[in-house]
């Protein structure tokens, strides 16, 4: 069995480092204590703080139970990592949170149930993912699914034992699949297509190595994958801006929201492993039309200077400076790696959204191929949407500016919040769970950090 993504914490709850408390711990009534202990026992499991349920045990004393409640509150509200546990590329950080004042007030007003229910992140995306967690836990408790045996590709018209295995496997996740039979008919092909869409694969209806591998991931792994993504939801701010640009790095998809409703979606190209696109929150403040490309020193040294002067000249690069301080700039125009549009937002990683002259990557289903920036499929459409409230920058004016070939920076009428997020498990609007690979190994690294943090806190608590 693969290493767990989120192993159960070593204690009943998932504690965070203790905070300085300016007030004493509240005294619970017997009824409050019994109710709270039951909620903690169930909540850690249903919210994905641990993989296995905790059996009932003897009642805890008041202070131990209160501390357990505060530890749970921090874990489910803002995650289980300390500041030093975050990788550099994990640019989202949960806000500081002390649950004691609100908890003490809830105890005083006998409103613990309301306090408890309102602890998780207040997002539909979190709620639907948490519901998916419970569905996949139920699948695991029912025995999960059997892996498909190795064999030849399967497609429309195939028959036999392998097709029967495929039907049985698909029916576990897809209630519209008839579980029995050994014929690969049109309905089964549609079910394969649905599965391929759920896993971000080419929805051709052919069961080849990639589809077989995705279907063979054990349900236990999927449960832990959901748990990892629930943890990252806890790092987000208390409210997401309702008008925003949101990029799913793992799926390489960009979506624009207005009033919390998606109004535009397009394919992206995100960072390949080794050149990861960071998670972050910022705001697009301007669009550069016909941007030159100031090549990062590392890329210039590794990939471009070795190709020689003739290549650099032919592709519009000029060398600025001499010796070890020499750098490269690619002129604006049809050859520029940034294409015709660059969407700038402040961040410490020097990443941005941009156009690209290389359109072939957008036709792939694996689109992790950039140096860390996000290439966008329809940059002109995105520019028009962001500038639509500026009467000077309609579609014709934007195209006219592009046609001049001159570099021009256009300030947005209002900055557009942008979130770069790493979702390897998420639910569609209808509640269907979608899964992607963990290309950066961030799910596994998150699990290791949580396990290490739990061990440190167990020792500190003794």
């Amino acid at each position: 069995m693969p290493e767990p993504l989120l192993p159960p914490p070593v204690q009943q709850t998932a504690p965070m480092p203790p905070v300085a408390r300016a007030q004493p711990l509240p005294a619970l009534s017997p009824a409050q204590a019994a109710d709270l202990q039951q909620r903690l026992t169930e909540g850690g499991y249903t919210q994905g703080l641990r993989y296995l349920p905790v059996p009932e045990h003897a009642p805890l004393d008041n202070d131990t139970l209160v501390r357990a409640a505060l530890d749970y509150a921090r874990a489910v509200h803002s995650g289980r990592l300390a500041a030093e546990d975050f990788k550099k590329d994990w640019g989202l950080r949960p806000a500081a949170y002390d649950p004691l004042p609100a908890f003490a007030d809830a105890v005083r007003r006998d409103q613990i149930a309301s306090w408890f229910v309102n602890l998780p992140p207040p997002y539909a995306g979190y709620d639907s993912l948490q519901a998916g967690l419970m569905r996949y836990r139920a699948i695991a408790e029912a025995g999960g699914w059997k892996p498909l045996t190795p064999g030849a590709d399967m497609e429309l018209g195939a028959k036999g034992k392998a097709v029967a295995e495929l039907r049985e496997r698909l029916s576990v996740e897809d209630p519209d699949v008839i579980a029995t039979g050994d014929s690969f008919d049109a309905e089964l092909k549609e079910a394969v297509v649905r599965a391929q869409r759920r896993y971000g694969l080419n929805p051709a209806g052919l069961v080849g190595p990639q589809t077989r591998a995705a279907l063979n991931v054990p349900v236990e792994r999927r449960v832990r994958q959901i748990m990892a993504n629930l943890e990252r939801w806890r790092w987000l701010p208390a409210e997401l801006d309702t008008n925003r640009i949101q990029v799913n790095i793992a799926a390489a998809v960009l979506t624009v929201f207005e009033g919390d409703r998606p109004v535009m979606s397009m394919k992206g190209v995100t960072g390949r492993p080794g050149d990861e696109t960071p998670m972050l929150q910022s705001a697009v403040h301007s669009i550069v039309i016909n941007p030159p490309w100031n090549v990062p020193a590392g890329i210039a040294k590794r990939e471009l200077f070795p190709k020689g002067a003739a290549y650099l000249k032919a592709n519009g690069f000029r060398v600025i400076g001499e010796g070890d301080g020499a750098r490269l700039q690619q002129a604006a125009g049809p050859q520029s790696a940034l294409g015709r549009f660059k969407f700038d937002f402040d961040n410490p990683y020097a990443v941005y959204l941009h156009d690209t002259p290389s359109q072939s990557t957008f036709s792939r289903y694996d689109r992790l191929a950039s140096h860390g920036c996000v290439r966008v499929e329809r940059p002109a459409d995105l520019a028009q949407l962001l500038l639509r409230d500026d009467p000077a920058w309609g579609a014709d004016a934007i195209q006219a500016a592009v046609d001049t070939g001159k570099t021009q920076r256009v300030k947005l009428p209002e900055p557009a919040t942008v979130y770069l997020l790493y979702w390897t498990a998420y639910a569609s609007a209808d509640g269907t769970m979608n899964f992607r690979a963990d290309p950066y190994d961030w799910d596994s690294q998150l699990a290791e950090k949580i396990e290490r943090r739990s061990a440190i806190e167990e020792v500190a608590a003794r």
Side-chain angles (χ1 to χ4, degrees):
M1 183 172 153
E3 284 296 312
L5 285 178
L6 286 179
V10 292
Q11 299 182 0
Q12 175 186 346
T13 57
M16 291 288 288
V19 296
R21 298 187 173 106
Q23 61 187 99
L25 299 181
L28 303 168
S29 71
Q32 288 176 329
D35 177 67
L36 181 58
Q37 183 156 337
Q38 182 63 33
R39 289 180 182 277
L40 291 175
T41 299
E42 296 173 355
Y45 182 67
T46 60
Q47 295 297 327
L49 297 181
R50 53 178 176 268
Y51 182 74
L52 296 174
V54 173
E56 296 286 346
H57 55 75
L60 302 175
D61 66 78
N62 185 87
D63 285 4
T64 300
L65 182 56
V66 169
R67 289 193 178 94
L70 299 177
D71 290 338
Y72 171 89
R74 283 187 289 269
V76 78
H77 183 82
S78 53
R80 287 166 285 178
L81 299 186
E84 61 268 26
D85 295 325
F86 283 82
K87 290 171 59 69
K88 178 183 176 183
D89 287 339
W90 298 356
L92 295 169
R93 301 287 192 278
Y97 172 65
D98 179 4
L100 179 55
F103 177 72
D105 183 62
V107 172
R108 180 180 58 80
R109 295 185 297 110
D110 200 21
Q111 295 291 321
I112 293 177
S114 177
W115 173 83
F116 198 93
V117 168
N118 287 300
L119 288 173
Y123 313 120
Y126 180 93
D127 292 342
S128 60
L129 192 59
Q130 191 267 336
L133 172 68
M134 300 315 295
R135 288 198 300 275
Y136 277 76
R137 285 196 189 280
I139 291 173
E141 291 169 2
W145 50 68
K146 299 176 183 177
L148 303 179
T149 55
D153 293 353
M154 288 181 278
E155 58 184 339
L156 187 65
K159 290 181 178 293
K161 180 181 177 181
V163 175
E165 289 181 352
L166 175 64
R167 279 188 173 279
E168 182 180 358
R169 165 64 186 89
L170 291 173
S171 70
V172 179
E173 287 183 285
D174 189 338
D176 292 332
V177 177
I178 298 174
T180 58
D182 65 354
S183 176
F184 199 126
D185 55 19
E187 289 185 357
L188 184 60
K189 179 179 178 180
E190 287 305 308
V192 170
V193 167
R194 291 194 296 273
Q196 290 168 331
R197 292 189 189 281
R198 291 197 303 272
Y199 296 124
L201 304 174
N202 181 10
L206 171 71
V207 180
Q210 284 187 313
T211 301
R212 193 183 298 270
L215 292 171
N216 281 352
V217 173
V219 66
E220 294 83 4
R221 184 79 175 175
R222 294 304 186 197
V223 167
R224 293 182 172 104
Q225 190 172 356
I226 295 172
M227 291 167 68
N229 284 267
L230 286 170
E231 180 74 4
R232 282 192 286 270
W233 272 104
R234 299 174 187 125
W235 303 348
L236 295 182
E239 292 184 13
L240 295 178
D241 286 358
T242 58
N243 299 329
R244 64 187 184 274
I245 301 168
Q246 191 167 302
V247 176
N248 182 344
I249 300 167
V253 172
L254 179 149
T255 306
V256 180
F257 290 81
E258 291 185 351
D260 219 25
R261 181 176 61 88
V263 297
M264 180 181 289
S265 183
M266 65 187 72
K267 296 175 182 176
V269 175
T270 50
R272 61 198 178 194
D275 291 308
E276 292 83 359
T277 298
M279 290 184 278
L280 60 82
Q281 174 187 349
S282 187
V284 176
H285 52 72
S286 57
I287 302 172
V288 182
I289 299 175
N290 297 313
W293 182 32
N294 294 302
V295 184
I299 297 175
K301 182 178 180 180
R302 292 192 313 269
E303 302 179 23
L304 296 175
F305 277 126
K307 294 183 177 181
Y311 172 88
L312 296 177
K313 182 178 180 181
N315 286 275
F317 291 97
R318 68 187 183 102
V319 180
I320 301 174
E322 299 179 350
D324 293 339
R327 60 186 181 89
L328 289 177
Q329 184 184 73
Q330 188 179 34
Q335 291 179 306
S336 172
L338 304 189
R340 299 295 192 172
F341 298 91
K342 176 187 176 189
F343 302 83
D344 268 341
F345 49 91
D346 297 333
N347 66 92
Y349 306 97
V351 297
Y352 38 84
L353 312 179
H354 68 88
D355 183 17
T356 175
S358 177
Q359 296 293 305
S360 61
T361 311
F362 293 114
S363 64
R364 291 164 35 185
Y365 286 87
D366 174 11
R367 296 191 301 276
L368 280 78
S370 80
H371 288 96
C373 290
V374 179
R375 306 174 198 165
V376 296
E377 182 183 25
R378 301 189 340 257
D381 291 345
L382 181 59
Q384 289 173 29
L385 182 63
L386 296 180
L387 290 170
R388 68 181 181 185
D389 293 332
D390 188 334
W393 286 102
D396 291 343
I398 293 172
Q399 186 57 52
V402 169
D403 292 342
T404 67
K406 296 180 180 179
T407 300
Q408 184 172 356
R409 181 178 293 275
V410 183
K411 186 177 179 180
L412 298 189
E414 293 290 337
T417 302
V418 59
Y419 298 93
L420 306 186
L421 307 171
Y422 188 77
W423 301 137
T424 61
Y426 57 93
S428 301
D430 63 358
T432 300
M433 283 302 306
N434 294 263
F435 297 98
R436 296 296 182 267
D438 179 17
Y440 299 165
D441 197 37
W442 283 356
D443 287 350
S444 297
Q445 292 177 41
L446 175 57
E448 292 171 2
K449 289 176 179 294
I450 288 173
E451 185 175 21
R452 189 180 309 116
R453 178 57 50 190
S454 296
I456 291 171
E457 288 159 359
E458 182 195 26
V459 172
R462 289 173 181 169

